[in-house]
Amino acid sequence: MQQIYLDNAATTPVRPEVEEAMQPYFCEKYGNPSGIYKMASECRQAVETVRKQIGETLKVSAEEIYFTSGGTESDNWAIKSTAQRLKEKGKHIITSKIEHHAVLNSCAYLETQGFEVTYLDVDEWGCVRLDALQRAIRKDTILISIMYANNEVGTIQPIDQIGKIAKENDIFFHTDAVQAYGQIPIDIKKENIHLLSASAHKFNGPKGVGFLYIDKRVPVMSYIHGGKQERNHRAGTENVAGIVGMGKAAEIAFAAQREREKRVQQMREYLMKKLCEEIPYCRINGSAVRRLPGNCNVSFQFIEGNELLLLLDEKNICASAASACSTGDTAPSHVLTAMGIPEKLARGTLRLTIGYQNTQDEIDYTIKCIKEAVKKLRENAEDYRIYKENFPCNMI
């Protein structure tokens, strides 16, 4: 069996069409978009074409799209700059305990600068509690930052309701849509989103490029100082090849979004069903209904997730235990902890995320390998032997 890649939440393979679109901007059309000669103007036009294209996918103005190096920069820019610009109005921010570290660490930094942050709890499915959000709002609340969909368990947040609450209370609303953009429909206007972060390598584009949508009403400060790029808000020569690649990836993603979503979700449902039917003492994490189409997050009791990953790697299967940004962290996932999942169970977690390139044969082979690996690990687990002897019929 060739390599099976099931870690699409971490990054995705660049589509051949995307690579082809990028190629000319490395060695042929390599001009600096800020120049006045023909080759430079062609590069500048390419950048602006993609800006318009990205805007159209979200039904917003091209002038509201700012190119960045990816989701982390976009999150940092959205949160830190908005907070600094509105600090005279208030210094209170609301986010959740299951956000990506780009959001959590940006908020933690702002706390050192005199801001106050409320970290909302989530329910057992990883969903923000709307009543808790309502109660957390204060007169000095200036920003709500809640991710569109969680990168570990795949739960899609009630963004429309969160946006409505933000609007009713005259608070700016930022969403980290890195896992959602290009995967599921997003309606910025209906959902009252003021700032949105996205990253190209999550929808089969290149690494190192992304964008931040900023509603014209948001008084955001410049984030990187220097030249006049990105309308004086983000200095630095544009990554033309990367931007072009992102535009092509977005074009492909949105052209077949519904069909791809349906196909990937069918494989995901099949995968989760088979794992639950054929492997005892396991639990699916995240919402069963409001879930990213390709996300399967499952915890197996009596094993260590990292050991399972190593056995799968021997079978040429690429998967993960949690967010790629948490690799090497010995503590249980902060997302699973916030959801109330016991530490021992959380340590046996496997995240499988399906992409457009995956096949049914790959899913079947993966299920077979997981069954074998879990059985092997449990055979050597003393706590599993003791539990099985005392509770032979007890299932999680």
Side-chain angles (χ1 to χ4, degrees):
M1 177 65 70
Q2 295 181 338
Q3 177 175 280
I4 297 175
Y5 185 75
L6 289 169
D7 198 19
N8 288 277
T11 194
T12 57
V14 173
R15 283 180 176 266
E17 306 96 313
V18 171
E19 181 184 11
E20 183 180 355
M22 294 171 66
Q23 280 299 329
Y25 295 91
F26 289 114
C27 300
E28 299 171 31
K29 301 178 181 181
Y30 51 82
N32 187 317
S34 296
I36 61 173
Y37 41 85
K38 183 179 179 181
M39 182 168 61
S41 65
E42 288 177 348
C43 290
R44 183 166 60 252
Q45 182 58 49
V47 169
E48 295 311 314
T49 296
V50 175
R51 195 187 309 279
K52 180 181 178 182
Q53 184 179 17
I54 296 293
E56 289 174 349
T57 65
L58 293 170
K59 297 182 174 60
V60 300
S61 167
E63 288 70 37
E64 295 175 301
I65 302 298
Y66 296 83
F67 295 127
T68 68
S69 63
T72 292
E73 182 188 332
S74 295
D75 286 342
N76 274 257
W77 184 0
I79 294 169
K80 293 177 182 177
S81 294
T82 303
Q84 292 294 341
R85 191 66 179 266
L86 297 175
K87 63 183 178 181
E88 298 304 319
K89 180 182 177 182
K91 287 192 172 184
H92 181 236
I93 298 167
I94 299 173
T95 188
S96 82
K97 292 182 178 179
I98 65 167
E99 299 297 310
H100 188 277
H101 285 102
V103 170
L104 293 176
N105 289 341
S106 291
C107 288
Y109 165 77
L110 288 174
E111 288 181 291
T112 69
Q113 305 301 304
F115 289 84
E116 292 184 62
V117 182
T118 296
Y119 298 91
L120 298 174
D121 289 320
V122 295
D123 62 23
E124 61 183 307
W125 313 115
C127 193
V128 168
R129 300 177 187 274
L130 295 174
D131 57 342
L133 172 60
Q134 287 276 19
R135 290 194 299 271
I137 293 174
R138 308 182 334 198
K139 290 183 178 179
D140 62 340
T141 304
I142 55 174
L143 179 66
I144 296 172
S145 180
I146 303 292
M147 65 191 344
Y148 207 104
N150 186 261
N151 52 308
E152 291 192 27
V153 299
T155 297
I156 301 170
Q157 300 297 334
I159 295 297
D160 54 342
Q161 297 176 68
I162 295 172
K164 182 180 179 182
I165 292 171
K167 182 179 181 181
E168 290 172 347
N169 290 275
D170 193 27
I171 300 169
F172 287 121
F173 175 35
H174 164 251
T175 186
D176 176 340
V178 167
Q179 294 292 328
Y181 179 82
Q183 309 298 330
I184 57 176
I186 295 175
D187 192 329
I188 277 189
K189 300 302 182 183
K190 181 181 178 182
E191 294 164 336
N192 297 299
I193 297 169
H194 300 100
L195 303 111
L196 179 145
S197 306
S199 188
H201 76 107
K202 304 295 188 177
F203 52 95
N204 304 107
K207 297 177 181 65
V209 63
F211 69 86
L212 174 64
Y213 157 76
I214 307 176
D215 187 294
K216 292 178 180 178
R217 296 168 291 177
V218 180
V220 176
M221 297 172 64
S222 297
Y223 188 60
I224 298 178
H225 300 90
K228 296 183 178 181
Q229 293 88 352
E230 296 304 298
R231 298 183 296 288
N232 294 313
H233 280 79
R234 196 237 186 216
T237 303
E238 296 88 346
N239 175 6
V240 181
I243 291 170
V244 169
M246 178 168 63
K248 187 64 177 179
E251 175 189 325
I252 296 171
F254 280 84
Q257 189 179 71
R258 295 290 188 181
E259 294 80 0
R260 185 182 64 256
E261 180 181 356
K262 181 179 179 181
R263 175 178 170 274
V264 168
Q265 184 171 328
Q266 286 176 342
M267 284 193 287
R268 192 275 317 278
E269 292 292 336
Y270 174 83
L271 172 61
M272 293 198 304
K273 181 174 182 291
K274 286 293 185 180
L275 290 177
C276 290
E277 287 178 348
E278 300 183 17
I279 305 176
Y281 309 103
C282 73
R283 167 199 168 111
I284 300 295
N285 303 312
S287 173
V289 180
R290 298 180 57 87
R291 191 185 196 98
L292 288 171
N295 178 285
C296 173
N297 186 295
V298 57
S299 294
F300 301 98
Q301 197 168 9
F302 310 114
I303 71 165
E304 288 289 329
N306 287 336
E307 293 179 359
L308 175 57
L309 289 175
L310 290 174
L311 291 180
L312 292 179
D313 187 42
E314 291 177 1
K315 299 294 185 179
N316 234 7
I317 298 171
C318 302
S320 63
S323 167
C325 302
S326 301
T327 300
D329 192 346
T330 57
S333 155
H334 73 286
V335 175
L336 299 182
T337 299
M339 291 166 58
I341 296 173
E343 180 177 340
K344 279 191 174 182
L345 185 57
R347 288 185 179 278
T349 298
L350 179 68
R351 182 184 70 172
L352 302 161
T353 41
I354 303 168
Y356 86 95
Q357 76 281 4
N358 294 122
T359 67
Q360 186 62 46
D361 286 344
E362 290 179 336
I363 300 301
D364 285 327
Y365 177 75
T366 298
I367 294 168
K368 173 179 175 291
C369 291
I370 292 174
K371 285 177 60 179
E372 293 172 353
V374 169
K375 181 180 180 181
K376 180 177 181 179
L377 292 172
R378 284 177 174 170
E379 286 175 349
N380 298 318
E382 181 66 14
D383 55 346
Y384 176 63
R385 183 189 64 78
I386 295 172
Y387 187 88
K388 191 175 180 181
E389 288 176 355
N390 288 277
F391 306 100
C393 298
N394 191 15
M395 305 287 284
I396 291 177

